[in-house]
Amino acid sequence: MPGRRDDDVMWWLRARRAHTRLPLGLLMFALLAATVQDTPLFLPSIWSGGSELVQAATLVPLVLTSVLFDCLHTRLDAAETTGIRPVRFFDVLLALGVVALASAAGELIAMITGAASAETLGRNTAFLAGLTLLCGALFGRSAILVPALWPLLGVLFGMRAPGDAYPWTVLLEPPDTWYASTGALLMLTVGVGAHLLPPNRFARRAA
């Protein structure tokens, strides 16, 4: 049986192309985070009625989660729908691994550079990875823009005052904000649960 499991893992890696895509994504993620550090961006906000200052590091997790989304939707449907291989379990391990690596990289970058925004990278990656899993389970590949647009939606509609984001935005909260960390963990848990459900539980799942 160990040999069979090894074959399943190798088959899954080739099907998802994670072994070639994710290392490159992680490298780009780390380089961007180390480069932007605490660089501010000024983006328009509808609710606050002006421009809102946002840390550029808020957008960095999109590099990893976009690669994750692409891997999860590089599929061999005929082979995967048989249910013989535990591909959904492997997918979840992949997502959790991405979050763990992002968290470690963020803490290391924060320690080396002193950039406070780097401490949010793990939390924000966890939230966006959960959103990626949830949207993929509900809508398939057509939902790729939802995780990518979340930071912009947060800036446009999630500011009750300059520098004061609503808790639902999660990504815009400072490091060590307990309710943002809780929201990220909740989103990741919901996303994992949705991804593990059989595909026929969601009528709108795309191929």
Side-chain angles (χ1 to χ4, degrees):
M1 294 303 294
R4 172 61 184 275
R5 180 54 58 86
D6 291 342
D7 291 343
D8 287 345
V9 171
M10 294 306 299
W11 177 90
W12 169 81
L13 280 174
R14 288 194 296 270
R16 294 291 184 266
R17 301 179 188 174
H19 60 302
T20 58
R21 294 176 178 177
L22 274 177
L24 181 59
L26 182 62
L27 178 61
M28 293 175 60
F29 168 87
L31 288 176
L32 276 175
T35 300
V36 302
Q37 297 185 32
D38 287 332
T39 301
L41 295 176
F42 290 92
L43 300 176
S45 176
I46 291 178
W47 281 170
S48 67
S51 295
E52 188 63 38
L53 187 150
V54 177
Q55 295 294 331
T58 303
L59 305 179
V60 172
L62 292 173
V63 174
L64 270 184
T65 55
S66 296
V67 174
L68 175 64
F69 194 103
D70 193 43
C71 287
L72 295 178
H73 292 275
T74 302
R75 314 175 63 86
L76 299 175
D77 289 325
E80 293 187 27
T81 53
T82 62
I84 297 174
R85 296 182 174 94
V87 291
R88 295 191 176 280
F89 177 73
F90 293 154
D91 288 346
V92 165
L93 290 182
L94 178 66
L96 296 178
V98 165
V99 172
L101 289 171
S103 299
E107 291 299 323
L108 182 61
I109 292 169
M111 182 176 63
I112 293 173
T113 67
S117 61
E119 297 177 6
T120 66
L121 291 174
R123 180 197 72 192
N124 290 352
T125 301
F127 180 86
L128 290 174
L131 188 62
T132 294
L133 291 171
L134 178 61
C135 291
L138 290 172
F139 307 112
R141 181 172 283 276
S142 61
I144 189 171
L145 288 180
V146 177
L149 290 177
W150 187 268
L152 181 59
L153 293 174
V155 175
L156 285 175
F157 304 107
M159 308 303 297
R160 50 192 166 192
D164 186 12
Y166 285 106
W168 63 262
T169 62
V170 176
L171 306 183
L172 304 180
E173 296 290 352
D176 301 324
T177 305
W178 70 268
Y179 52 82
S181 299
T182 302
L185 181 60
L186 180 61
M187 177 61 76
L188 183 60
T189 302
V190 171
V192 166
H195 190 80
L196 287 174
L197 287 174
N200 58 10
R201 294 292 297 274
F202 296 110
R204 295 186 64 182
R205 180 186 291 276

